[in-house]
Amino acid sequence: GLLSRIPSVLFVVAVPLFLITANVTWVFNSPGVYEGGFERYSVSSITGITEADLRQVGSDLRTYFNSRSEPLDVRTRVFGVERDLFNSRETIHMRDVKRLVWGVYLTASIAAFYLLSFAVIGLVRQRGQYTGVLARQLLWGGVVTIALIIGVGVFALVGFDTLFTKFHQLIFANDFWQLDSRTDFLVMLFPNDFWFDATMWVATRSMVSAMLVCILSVTYL
């Protein structure tokens, strides 16, 4: 019946959830993503923060995302003068961003746990007969992931700024994300183009992962 299919449907849904959130987790924690963006968008010359200090700022932000400490407190040298980098609006917004990042971590963990548990229970119950079923479900999960990424990817390529704004309006209950690129360091460090690149990174890595899942499943079947 319909109820007996729910675990299988959830398994298929868990595949894109895991692949995408795992790659978002990677982006938030990858020094290369931060430093590549700082270099690509000349953040050092715009902000007056040396490249060495920018590396430290990136490290401080990653530490903040993965800690329980509040509020965000980053001090650095701007044109040689030491100061607090972020104002109160930016600090409040970063607290909201941290909650979002932890939500991503939680989603990735739950999806991974479900995928693993489902596979193990199926293999224990049905042994060798189950591997074909598992391969088909993984194939479906891979296909759904690819379809999702193509859909969002096309929209992002056509109107990323609109997508970015809508995302913020939907996710954040306040307007602290509306910052000024002339005065607020958060926007100077991470301009919209940085987030476009990060989104494309997540999309590309998730797409490659999904294609691998599909290829392995088809090869087995």
Side-chain angles (χ1 to χ4, degrees):
L2 193 65
L3 280 175
S4 64
R5 284 191 185 166
I6 288 172
S8 298
V9 171
L10 287 175
F11 182 91
V12 171
V13 170
V15 173
L17 265 183
F18 173 70
L19 291 178
I20 292 165
T21 52
N23 282 303
V24 171
T25 296
W26 170 81
V27 158
F28 269 100
N29 289 285
S30 166
V33 170
Y34 289 68
E35 286 157 27
F38 294 156
E39 200 177 313
R40 197 171 302 116
Y41 299 110
S42 311
V43 172
S44 182
S45 58
I46 290 167
T47 57
I49 305 169
T50 66
E51 284 179 17
D53 284 343
L54 278 175
R55 277 196 291 278
Q56 186 56 49
V57 168
S59 175
D60 290 347
L61 287 170
R62 290 189 296 277
T63 301
Y64 169 74
F65 285 137
N66 294 302
S67 74
R68 292 186 176 279
S69 64
E70 288 292 348
L72 173 64
D73 180 26
V74 177
R75 285 187 71 80
T76 194
R77 291 184 293 269
V78 178
F79 294 109
V81 180
E82 190 165 321
R83 52 162 286 177
D84 288 324
L85 193 56
F86 303 116
N87 61 38
S88 57
R89 277 186 77 86
E90 294 169 295
T91 306
I92 293 167
H93 178 55
M94 286 302 276
R95 188 188 64 207
D96 295 339
V97 172
K98 185 199 264 194
R99 283 181 190 151
L100 181 64
V101 171
W102 282 32
V104 168
Y105 291 172
L106 183 65
T107 305
S109 304
I110 292 168
F113 178 75
Y114 187 83
L115 291 168
L116 205 59
S117 306
F118 190 91
V120 169
I121 291 165
L123 289 166
V124 167
R125 278 184 177 173
Q126 298 174 29
R127 310 232 174 245
Q129 293 170 305
Y130 184 68
T131 48
V133 177
L134 186 63
R136 272 193 294 278
Q137 286 170 334
L138 282 168
L139 177 60
W140 272 109
V143 168
V144 169
T145 308
I146 291 165
L148 265 175
I149 291 165
I150 289 171
V152 175
V154 166
F155 196 57
L157 286 168
V158 172
F160 181 76
D161 288 352
T162 307
L163 186 69
F164 197 59
T165 304
K166 287 284 175 217
F167 170 80
H168 280 75
Q169 287 168 342
L170 196 68
I171 295 292
F172 300 113
N174 53 52
D175 66 353
F176 290 113
W177 57 273
Q178 292 177 339
L179 300 166
D180 191 332
S181 60
R182 294 163 302 180
T183 53
D184 297 323
F185 278 95
L186 205 50
V187 198
M188 292 186 223
L189 291 168
F190 306 106
N192 269 20
D193 287 343
F194 173 92
W195 293 111
F196 176 80
D197 293 344
T199 304
M200 288 301 130
W201 262 111
V202 171
T204 306
R205 287 173 71 98
S206 303
M207 180 75 91
V208 170
S209 311
M211 283 174 165
L212 277 173
V213 169
C214 291
I215 289 163
L216 289 170
S217 303
V218 168
T219 304
Y220 179 82
L221 291 168

